[in-house]
């Protein structure tokens, strides 16, 4: 089978398109495995849709499905335009969380994110106040003075207790920094778009962030978030890493 590997700010994805929806949980596990497969944080399949450019199937590396992934929206839009699935540098597609629109200019992509939902503001854990925010998937968010202090054990406990991704953020007048522990990957990732947006939503709501801010995830790549006329935008570069023919017994992974 033919696949394309994309990198979006440290989040990496295997992307391909197919003619119909299928159960690909086992295939995602096999392809995302970094030793025996291609290796990725997630797998995205573009399938036809009667109203939009396409619909996506999104799988985490453990084979579980996710409704939304901010970094993947940018990578998938680039892929769709390159393959003629979307035209005129604009992609409009259906995710499990709703319709996403992305504008692509070269290797730079800007996503109109879904409207965030603040679910809870008064969660006290490990001596810090957390907000639970849904930006397509649920995220626990807290402010820290030192972004280097990221306790994986605490993050795993919170992920299990609240069934949510876990984010620490630092913000000053010039920039934001965000670190995220992601469900489905079950570890800290180099970047998480929905986590970055959830962190920005809290920071902006509390008057800590400006309407437009550069954001740096663990990968160190520069991303941008913006609140403009009730719309949340998420922007940054994407890279097509490679295309490859993968030899697998597909029947073994499809059912």
């Amino acid at each position: 089978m033919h696949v394309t590997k994309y990198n979006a700010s440290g989040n990496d994805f295997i992307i391909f398109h197919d003619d119909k929806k299928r159960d690909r949980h086992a295939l995602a596990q096999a392809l995302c495995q970094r030793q025996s497969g291609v290796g990725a944080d997630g797998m995205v399949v573009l399938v036809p849709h009667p109203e939009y450019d396409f619909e996506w199937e999104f799988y985490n590396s453990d084979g579980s499905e996710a409704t939304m992934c901010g970094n993947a929206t940018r990578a998938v839009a680039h892929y769709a335009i390159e393959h003629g699935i979307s035209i005129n540098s604009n992609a409009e597609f259906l995710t499990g969380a709703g319709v996403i629109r992305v504008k692509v200019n070269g290797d730079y992509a800007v996503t109109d994110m879904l409207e965030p939902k603040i679910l809870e503001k008064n969660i006290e854990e490990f001596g810090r106040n957390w907000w639970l925010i849904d930006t397509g998937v649920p995220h626990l968010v807290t402010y820290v003075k030192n972004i280097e202090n990221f306790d994986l054990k605490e993050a795993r406990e919170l992920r299990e207790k609240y069934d949510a991704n876990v984010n620490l953020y630092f913000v000053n007048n010039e920039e934001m920094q965000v670190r995220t522990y992601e469900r489905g990957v079950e570890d800290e990732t180099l970047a998480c778009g929905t986590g970055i947006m959830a962190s920005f939503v809290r920071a902006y709501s509390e008057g800590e962030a400006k309407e437009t801010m550069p954001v740096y995830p663990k990968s160190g790549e520069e991303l941008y978030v913006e609140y403009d006329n009730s719309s949340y935008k998420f922007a940054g570069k994407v890279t097509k890493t490679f295309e490859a023919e993968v030899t697998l017994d597909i029947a073994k992974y499809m059912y």
Side-chain angles (χ1 to χ4, degrees), residues 70-108:
N71 284 318
T73 62
R74 298 185 293 114
V76 164
H78 190 283
Y79 175 95
I81 289 165
E82 186 169 89
H83 285 80
I85 300 169
S86 297
I87 59 174
N88 297 328
S89 299
N90 293 288
E92 183 180 50
F93 54 96
L94 183 64
T95 71
V99 177
I100 292 293
R101 296 171 180 85
V102 184
K103 185 170 183 62
V104 178
N105 182 10
D107 62 354
Y108 197 80

Side-chain angles (χ1 to χ4, degrees), residues 36 40 50 71 116 120 125 133 139-140 143 159 177 218 245:
S36 59
N71 284 318
E120 177 63 60
E125 296 282 1
I133 303 172
H139 285 271
L140 283 168
Y143 169 82
R159 176 264 182 269
Q177 298 173 46
K218 187 180 179 183
E245 296 292 333

Side-chain angles (χ1 to χ4, degrees), residues 56 68-71 73-74 77 89-93 95 97-104 109-116 135-136 193-194 197 224-236:
W56 85 4
M68 176 60 180
C69 174
N71 284 318
T73 62
R74 298 185 293 114
S89 299
N90 293 288
E92 183 180 50
F93 54 96
T95 71
V99 177
I100 292 293
R101 296 171 180 85
V102 184
K103 185 170 183 62
V104 178
V110 182
T111 298
D112 290 329
M113 297 289 280
L114 299 166
E115 183 176 355
T135 50
T194 52
M197 185 54 64
Y224 282 90
V225 288
E226 181 180 3
Y227 179 71
D228 179 29
N229 194 26
S230 300
S231 174
Y232 290 87
K233 297 183 183 297
F234 174 57

Side-chain angles (χ1 to χ4, degrees), residues 121-180:
K121 290 184 177 181
N122 298 307
I123 298 172
E124 298 296 326
E125 296 282 1
F126 298 108
R128 292 189 294 272
N129 172 263
W130 302 78
W131 287 21
L132 182 61
I133 303 172
D134 189 329
T135 50
V137 289
H139 285 271
L140 283 168
V141 177
T142 193
Y143 169 82
V144 292
K145 293 181 180 179
N146 186 353
I147 199 70
E148 299 303 319
N149 294 335
F150 191 89
D151 191 319
L152 282 175
K153 182 175 180 294
E154 289 183 5
R156 288 190 184 102
E157 287 186 28
L158 291 171
R159 176 264 182 269
E160 292 295 333
K161 183 173 180 179
Y162 294 93
D163 192 24
N165 301 284
V166 181
N167 305 267
L168 307 183
Y169 76 89
F170 169 80
V171 62
N172 57 29
N173 289 329
E174 302 300 324
E175 65 182 44
M176 286 186 66
Q177 298 173 46
V178 180
R179 294 179 68 175
T180 305

